[in-house]
Amino acid sequence: MKTDCMFQPSERERIGDHALILFDTQCGLCCFWVRFIIGRDRKKSFLFAPLQSEWGRRLQMLLGDSDKDTLLLYGSGRLYSRSEAVLRIVSALPAPWSLLRFCRVMPRFLRDAVYKFIAKNRRRLFRQRACFAPTADERDRFLAE
């Protein structure tokens, strides 16, 4: 879905050539996933923002979806959610993680069913009470409200 009109020129400039990952800062799985990406994203291709931020609210509004159980990826003027977002993210990571992109041959409704099952049970499976806070070295990769 094209989304360029959702951002002011200064916001588009801030994102630049990066892809923006929007995640739930109160979710243990989401925080693990962000840490996982940061640890493997040698090119620093990704920026991050909370789903609860203004960025997240605007993109969810565009989707017509205020579902906090979804991960959003904004890149190249397009918005991706759920399994498509995950597979596009891992595709940008180095091997062996990038090999997971071949899961895209699976029909999207099946991939999203697995995604939704994990999302629905994430709080029980991945317990974390503290909010996500980037380290000092990571702060430049996170968009503030």
Side-chain angles (χ1 to χ4, degrees):
M1 172 181 299
K2 276 289 204 186
T3 59
D4 282 340
C5 61
M6 290 296 292
F7 298 116
Q8 301 297 320
S10 62
E11 293 172 327
R12 284 194 298 269
E13 185 177 311
R14 171 66 175 105
I15 295 171
D17 293 333
H18 295 92
L20 174 61
I21 298 172
L22 294 116
F23 69 103
D24 182 355
T25 58
Q26 302 300 312
C27 167
L29 175 59
C30 298
C31 294
F32 168 82
W33 178 235
V34 168
R35 290 267 176 239
F36 178 88
I37 295 166
I38 289 172
R40 286 149 189 85
D41 181 22
R42 296 182 194 126
K43 296 177 186 176
K44 296 188 176 186
S45 303
F46 297 105
L47 296 176
F48 305 90
L51 276 171
Q52 299 85 350
S53 69
E54 180 61 30
W55 294 84
R57 285 190 292 271
R58 272 195 271 167
L59 290 172
Q60 286 177 325
M61 186 175 64
L62 181 67
L63 279 176
D65 189 356
S66 62
D67 183 3
K68 296 288 189 270
D69 290 341
T70 191
L71 173 82
L72 299 177
L73 173 67
Y74 170 79
S76 301
R78 294 196 169 277
L79 182 62
Y80 306 96
S81 64
R82 299 185 176 85
S83 67
E84 189 64 25
V86 170
L87 292 176
R88 286 183 180 270
I89 291 166
V90 296
S91 293
L93 299 178
W97 310 109
S98 60
L99 297 175
L100 291 171
R101 71 177 166 260
F102 293 112
C103 291
R104 291 181 75 200
V105 299
M106 196 171 154
R108 187 171 184 163
F109 77 92
L110 290 176
R111 290 183 290 153
D112 280 347
V114 171
Y115 181 96
K116 288 175 185 178
F117 175 80
I118 293 169
K120 182 179 178 182
N121 295 291
R122 67 192 170 143
R123 294 194 193 278
R124 189 169 37 98
L125 297 171
F126 298 88
R127 295 178 189 204
Q128 177 179 328
R129 297 279 182 221
C131 330
F132 183 85
T135 65
D137 292 337
E138 298 167 345
R139 280 201 188 102
D140 64 330
R141 298 188 66 192
F142 288 79
L143 302 179
E145 293 212 2

